Amino acid sequence: MVRRSKSALVPYGIFVTKNCFLFLMAPIWLLGQTQQSISEVWQSDQGDGTYVNPILHADYSDPDVVRVGEDYYMTASSFNCIPGLPILHSKDLVNWQLVNHALPKQVPLDVFDMPQHANGVWAPCIRFHEGMYYIFYPDPDFGIYMIKTNDPNTNWSEPQLIKSGKGLIDPAPLWDEDGKAYLAYAFAGSRAGIKSMLMVCAMSPDATRTVENDVLVFDGHEKQPTIEGPKFYKRNGYYYLFAPAGGVSTGWQLVLRSKNVLGPYEEKIVMEQGATPINGPHQGAWVDTITGEDWFIHFQDKGAYGRVVHLQPMKWKNDWPIIGKDQGNGIGVPVLGYKKPNVGKMYPKVTPPDSDGFDTTSLELQWQWHANPKLYWGFPTSNGYFRLFCQAIPEGVTNLWDVPNLLLQKWPSETFTATTKVAFRAHEDGEKAGFLIMGRSYAYLEVKQEKDELYVSQVICDNADLKGIETVGKSYKVKSNELYLRIVVNKGGKCLFSFSEDGKTFKNVGEGFVAREGKWIGAKIGYFAQRKGITNNAGYLDIDWIRFTP
């Protein structure tokens, strides 16, 4: 990664001074990392030995975590967004840095070259075994894949399909003391035609294949509907399946245990919403600390904000876990805040990145596309911009829902102001660019050239996923192609749009817009550039910076 002139921090790379070349070599693993950052809009760490939930107020859904020594690594669902399978690193379970993506492109390539909303990477599982890191992830239309690496900060192996079949989801491996290996998984009713059941099959110890001896180990139809997302552990001679039930936004955390890997399994609810505002508290990871504490990381579905990540204290009683604050009945409820985990040391604050100066030779890690990217969609420039080219609207597409070249990132907080400086250089009338809030319904600030003049307006599309039609509001002629665009997000996902030509005085544009989630993902913010028809020399949007402030 090479830092350029807009950044005050230039720690690695090759630099040219007036009289000489200066070579500074970075460790290879740093080339896959963003610089450490601290968000201005959300910090869980309170700086006094406590934290507040969520630890990540961003859409890292279906989180799973593994501890290796003093290091924690998290991954999460990414669905159709690419690069996929984010890798986050922490030393204390509260402060997380986004360090990599394990999936630079999604396979099969021809399928994911176009947006596949709600498809792709569902709930993954990350594990460490005999010196290797593994991620098992399901694609509900193809089956269960495995990837691995000896360093999660660098490249992961190509996806290997180890169990094919529609509707096979939520894989979780377990390597037993006797050398045998197993894989637990669930069913997606939308593809398999069956659901609310957990399965276990044998797996080769190298995790390259499964054995077709699948056994139903738990049927949740009677008391635990929509049971899914199992995580497989072993403790004190018991095999445990931690599994959510009851549905994404309304469910609870169930734990199953047995002395036999294939059951039968006892069941116990170990966490529920209770009287707290944390709905559907479930699906996540049990981890411990080097000091012997136990913790549980899970998500909460917050609609347009996506599935945000919470951290709960956990303790054991009679070989059953209790997650959160014990209500006195052995069932925990989520805590809104707590003392930080004791990991033996104190570590500085860090958060996933949100603001970006676009002054590196590659996109920072918070950015994702809606499909496998193409080089000509956009790339960094040598003078510190990201250049996004106007791409032809795909044939038969009625709105942005099925447009692949959307450059977007997760919302970082419940409320924030996002301001960006851009320059739009159209080559022909009709070319346009947008600063976008994307979801099932969406809205954006449009900069468009008409009759060799530039105009700014607000565009809204309701029910984009149902082929809704865009409506364009009042247009404002602007003198310069350099503009400052702003979106203010208030509680409830209420968005206000404005622009400025000098960066000081902003003019409100259009009406308020209430954001909606996408399919299994939260609303996102970012950019696109578009035109009708193919050309040999498209216009482009130069993105100078984006800043997230309270």
Side-chain angles (χ1 to χ4, degrees), residues 443-462:
Y444 59 90
L445 279 171
E446 175 187 80
V447 185
K448 188 175 185 179
Q449 178 172 302
E450 296 289 1
K451 297 181 179 179
D452 293 324
E453 302 283 356
L454 287 183
Y455 297 86
V456 174
S457 56
Q458 183 195 50
V459 178
I460 294 177
C461 183
D462 290 324

Side-chain angles (χ1 to χ4, degrees), residues 219-239:
D219 186 341
H221 283 91
E222 184 177 348
K223 296 180 181 178
Q224 310 296 342
T226 318
I227 190 169
E228 56 188 351
K231 294 297 185 292
F232 221 166
Y233 307 104
K234 193 174 185 182
R235 176 187 181 273
N236 284 357
Y238 281 105
Y239 296 91

Side-chain angles (χ1 to χ4, degrees), residues 29-281:
W29 64 268
L30 276 176
L31 299 180
Q33 277 192 203
T34 186
Q35 292 292 324
Q36 287 198 0
S37 60
I38 300 179
S39 174
E40 294 185 39
V41 296
W42 187 262
Q43 297 174 28
S44 172
D45 192 333
Q46 300 300 285
D48 59 1
T50 67
Y51 71 93
V52 295
N53 273 319
I55 52 171
L56 295 171
H57 205 301
D59 184 34
Y60 291 101
S61 62
D62 307 317
D64 192 38
V65 181
V66 66
R67 178 176 70 84
V68 181
E70 297 181 350
D71 297 284
Y72 295 91
Y73 289 96
M74 179 192 298
T75 191
S77 300
S78 49
F79 299 98
N80 63 294
C81 301
I82 291 295
L85 285 173
I87 304 296
L88 297 99
H89 172 257
S90 178
K91 288 285 192 177
D92 62 7
L93 292 172
V94 171
N95 294 284
W96 290 90
Q97 181 187 6
L98 182 61
V99 297
N100 198 7
H101 285 88
L103 201 63
K105 287 193 175 183
Q106 212 161 172
V107 295
L109 297 179
D110 59 337
V111 173
F112 290 98
D113 282 348
M114 288 299 291
Q116 300 290 326
H117 296 280
N119 301 337
V121 175
W122 285 24
C125 181
I126 185 169
R127 290 292 180 264
F128 182 77
H129 179 66
E130 295 187 347
M132 296 295 292
Y133 294 83
Y134 292 82
I135 292 178
F136 296 77
Y137 77 87
D139 182 314
D141 294 307
F142 296 97
I144 294 169
Y145 291 90
M146 180 275 293
I147 58 175
K148 62 183 179 179
T149 183
N150 60 8
D151 183 350
N153 299 285
T154 57
N155 294 335
W156 291 68
S157 64
E158 292 291 323
Q160 182 173 353
L161 187 64
I162 65 169
K163 191 172 185 65
S164 63
K166 277 186 173 292
L168 308 184
I169 59 170
D170 305 346
L174 184 139
W175 285 270
D176 213 342
E177 292 99 330
D178 61 4
K180 295 180 180 179
Y182 303 92
L183 189 71
Y185 63 94
F187 293 109
S190 59
R191 274 74 164 185
I194 56 176
K195 59 180 287 189
S196 298
M197 294 177 288
L198 300 184
M199 305 290 291
V200 171
C201 67
M203 180 178 72
S204 62
D206 64 0
T208 59
R209 61 184 178 84
T210 56
V211 179
E212 301 302 322
N213 61 350
D214 309 62
V215 175
L216 171 65
V217 297
F218 187 79
D219 186 341
H221 283 91
E222 184 177 348
K223 296 180 181 178
Q224 310 296 342
T226 318
I227 190 169
E228 56 188 351
K231 294 297 185 292
F232 221 166
Y233 307 104
K234 193 174 185 182
R235 176 187 181 273
N236 284 357
Y238 281 105
Y239 296 91
Y240 289 93
L241 287 165
F242 283 49
V248 168
S249 60
T250 57
W252 51 88
Q253 181 65 38
L254 186 72
V255 167
L256 312 173
R257 75 177 188 186
S258 176
K259 290 285 188 177
N260 188 318
V261 69
L262 297 179
Y265 280 83
E266 304 172 80
E267 65 185 271
K268 188 177 188 299
I269 295 175
V270 298
M271 181 175 61
E272 61 188 9
Q273 180 174 354
T276 75
I278 311 304
N279 60 292

Side-chain angles (χ1 to χ4, degrees), residues 260-385:
N260 188 318
V261 69
L262 297 179
Y265 280 83
E266 304 172 80
E267 65 185 271
K268 188 177 188 299
I269 295 175
V270 298
M271 181 175 61
E272 61 188 9
Q273 180 174 354
T276 75
I278 311 304
N279 60 292
H282 61 57
Q283 181 129 344
W286 163 36
V287 290
D288 62 6
T289 69
I290 60 173
T291 64
E293 294 181 349
D294 294 289
W295 295 83
F296 188 75
I297 285 179
H298 67 96
F299 72 71
Q300 174 198 8
D301 188 327
K302 289 192 68 174
Y305 296 94
R307 285 179 267 180
V308 302
V309 183
H310 290 244
L311 175 66
Q312 304 297 335
M314 176 175 143
K315 62 182 180 180
W316 291 89
K317 185 175 181 180
N318 299 325
D319 285 322
W320 287 107
I322 302 171
I323 299 174
K325 181 181 179 181
D326 191 350
Q327 301 175 95
N329 58 357
I331 301 176
V333 295
V335 299
L336 302 182
Y338 207 73
K339 63 181 180 180
K340 291 172 60 179
N342 178 7
V343 293
K345 299 177 184 178
M346 297 294 293
Y347 291 96
K349 289 183 181 181
V350 65
T351 65
D354 43 48
S355 297
D356 192 354
F358 294 98
D359 54 0
T360 65
T361 54
S362 60
L363 268 175
E364 293 286 9
L365 294 174
Q366 67 264 43
W367 298 103
Q368 296 174 294
W369 303 93
H370 254 20
N372 287 333
K374 309 296 183 185
L375 175 64
Y376 44 78
W377 289 357
F379 35 72
T381 67
S382 60
N383 57 345
Y385 298 88

